[in-house]
Amino acid sequence: MPAVPIAVVNVLNTPYEIIVEPGVIARAGETIRKVVPSRVCGVFTDETIARLYLPALQKSLAAVGYEVVTAIIPAGEAHKTLESVKIGYDAFLAKNFERSTPIISFGGGVVGDITGFIAATLLRGVPFVQIPTTLLAMVDASVGGKTGIDHPAGKNLIGAFHQPRAVLIDPELLKSLPPRELRSGLAECIKHDIIRDADHFATLEHSIDRALKLDIAYLTDLIAHNVAIKARVVEADPFEKTERAHLNFGHTFGHAIETVSQYAYAHGECVALGMIAASRMASRLKMIDDKSVDRITCCIAAAGLPTGRMSLPIPDVLDAMKFDKKVKDGKIRFVLPDRIGHVVVRDDVPMDLVRDALLSVTG
Ligand SMILES: NC(=O)c1ccc[n+]([C@@H]2O[C@H](COP(=O)([O-])OP(=O)(O)OC[C@H]3O[C@@H](n4cnc5c(N)ncnc54)[C@H](O)[C@@H]3O)[C@@H](O)[C@H]2O)c1
Ligand SMILES: [Zn+2]
């Protein structure tokens, strides 16, 4: 059976397909070959994915005649660095890659962001394909073309916009994902419904435990739904000038919590606390009713994500928020829900309300 695209992202008139299908790895070669025909291709991955799944991907690529050049980095955010980029440049330039030679990203968001950056800059831009392997990368990082690496001065400070030519998502790969990483991805799924889809939220809040039980049919539908939301937002605003900022719901608080915790909290855990803090702030601003805030909190709890007990110094978190790269003209911008399924951007929130919102997630 041919792989069926579930969404087409049309950014700047270069549309690309996103395919979500259990087992799609086995057919990756034929699908990629159609989109980016070439004799050689690169695969950039980390040691964990190389051990678990690289042989299967290589087999599928070799079956359609690709000569595969691999570059493998150690796993984890600590390796989202220029050194890892260099590992890719060295491996691919040693094999005389040309402008038309595709590079495949095979891993979570860390691998995806680095591979995208390599593809954006190698020979001033080569095609790249995303095969995300974490839930977060499937529903968020692999769609939209944001690529980059970290710098000692902060996360994602170096990067480029470079859209993939295709995204292949195999929900079966989630079976080996550590549960904490799975829950982290669910935070972004909850976020998508709060910013865009009240009807789906009403289903999600009663069914999200099926994701935790690794129900693959459920996860397939969930991923397809989330990819479609992300695709629509990115199409409307590829360079984050307007509505793409809605995807930052929960992230103004979340990023600051992540920084101050020195990454002891997972990204999705920080976003979970951030979404609750932002929703409570919206309630204090009389933008949203308390019942909706309770539903948001309960859904986050049902996903096994934290809803309180944040044990970080509030002044430090407030300081980190002021240094966020999305602060504009000294004003902190918040994405706040005025109902489930809809958000607005506010940059006029009094600091005492911000502090109270943070305090509310310490209890
Ligand atoms: N570009 C974007 O739009 C965007 C959006 C959101 C996040 N991000 C970035 O994504 C990164 C986080 O991505 P992440 O949460 O996927 O983390 P990650 O890439 O570090 O993956 C988490 C861990 O899980 C392992 N892993 C991955 N897939 C696995 C699988 N199927 N089975 C077993 N283990 C597996 C990885 O080796 C790693 O150790 C951050 O750097 C963030 O900045 C980018
Ligand atoms: Zn996020």
Side-chain angles (χ1 to χ4, degrees):
M1 196 179 70
V4 183
I6 64 94
V8 176
V9 190
N10 194 350
V11 180
L12 310 171
N13 297 322
T14 45
Y16 56 94
E17 289 180 348
I18 303 170
I19 293 165
V20 185
E21 193 183 299
V24 78
I25 288 296
R27 283 190 302 288
E30 46 183 278
T31 310
I32 294 170
R33 174 115 224 169
K34 273 188 222 141
V35 185
V36 274
S38 168
R39 191 182 57 78
V40 185
C41 71
V43 175
F44 191 88
T45 190
D46 71 25
E47 284 165 0
T48 307
I49 298 303
R51 184 170 42 79
L52 291 168
Y53 301 114
L54 187 56
L57 179 63
Q58 275 176 316
K59 189 171 160 213
S60 148
L61 293 167
V64 295
Y66 276 116
E67 180 192 329
V68 184
V69 181
T70 57
I72 302 173
I73 58 163
E77 183 77 32
H79 298 281
K80 199 170 151 182
T81 57
L82 266 181
E83 287 82 77
S84 295
V85 172
K86 187 172 179 304
I87 289 172
Y89 288 156
D90 291 351
F92 301 141
L93 290 174
K95 295 286 181 181
N96 302 319
F97 271 34
E98 298 172 358
R99 273 266 174 84
S100 57
T101 313
I103 300 177
I104 300 164
S105 156
F106 193 34
V110 166
V111 162
D113 281 9
I114 304 171
T115 313
F117 185 68
I118 293 171
T121 48
L122 192 78
L123 307 173
R124 297 201 181 86
V126 299
F128 94 111
V129 171
Q130 287 268 20
I131 308 184
T133 63
T134 63
L135 183 59
L136 178 122
M138 292 175 184
V139 299
D140 189 354
S142 65
V143 180
K146 273 195 191 176
T147 77
I149 54 170
D150 300 336
H151 184 273
K155 256 187 79 157
N156 295 328
L157 291 183
I158 300 164
F161 283 96
H162 189 55
Q163 300 292 335
R165 298 285 285 272
V167 183
L168 307 188
I169 300 178
D170 188 342
E172 294 277 357
L173 304 186
L174 297 175
K175 287 181 176 164
S176 56
L177 192 67
R180 195 174 176 196
E181 301 288 348
L182 187 78
R183 295 195 293 268
S184 204
L186 287 175
E188 307 289 353
C189 299
I190 297 170
K191 176 193 81 177
H192 283 152
D193 280 353
I194 297 172
I195 69 167
R196 281 293 182 277
D197 197 330
D199 288 346
H200 195 271
F201 185 88
T203 311
L204 185 73
E205 64 186 333
H206 299 300
S207 61
I208 201 161
D209 61 307
R210 290 177 62 190
L212 297 173
K213 289 178 190 144
L214 289 171
D215 177 333
I216 295 297
Y218 180 84
L219 281 165
T220 303
D221 289 346
L222 184 67
I223 294 162
H225 167 75
N226 279 277
V227 157
I229 291 184
K230 173 111 196 225
R232 285 205 309 273
V233 175
V234 169
E235 274 175 6
D237 177 23
F239 297 115
E240 197 170 327
K241 294 203 165 29
T242 53
E243 72 172 87
R244 189 164 179 172
H246 293 174
L247 297 167
N248 292 328
F249 171 56
H251 284 63
T252 311
F253 286 109
H255 280 147
I257 294 169
E258 200 172 8
T259 306
V260 176
S261 82
Q262 296 182 321
Y263 301 93
Y265 282 113
H267 177 72
E269 293 166 356
C270 301
V271 173
L273 292 168
M275 290 192 291
I276 292 173
S279 303
R280 287 182 181 157
M281 205 161 76
S283 152
R284 283 284 298 280
L285 290 162
K286 306 224 177 314
M287 292 169 58
I288 189 169
D289 60 281
D290 287 339
K291 171 136 193 303
S292 298
V293 179
D294 283 348
R295 285 175 66 200
I296 289 171
T297 309
C298 286
C299 187
I300 289 170
L305 288 159
T307 56
R309 303 228 173 103
M310 186 194 72
S311 58
L312 305 170
I314 302 281
D316 293 7
V317 181
L318 287 171
D319 277 348
M321 286 171 86
K322 290 177 197 150
F323 284 112
D324 192 283
K325 69 175 184 289
K326 297 201 174 68
V327 170
K328 227 179 164 180
D329 304 328
K331 286 183 176 163
I332 306 179
R333 296 170 83 213
F334 291 99
V335 179
L336 302 178
D338 53 4
R339 58 178 190 270
I340 289 175
H342 192 264
V343 283
V344 290
V345 178
R346 297 271 302 252
D347 64 2
D348 59 345
V349 184
M351 275 320 276
D352 56 328
L353 287 196
V354 179
R355 190 175 297 109
D356 287 355
L358 270 175
L359 259 177
S360 83
V361 291
T362 60

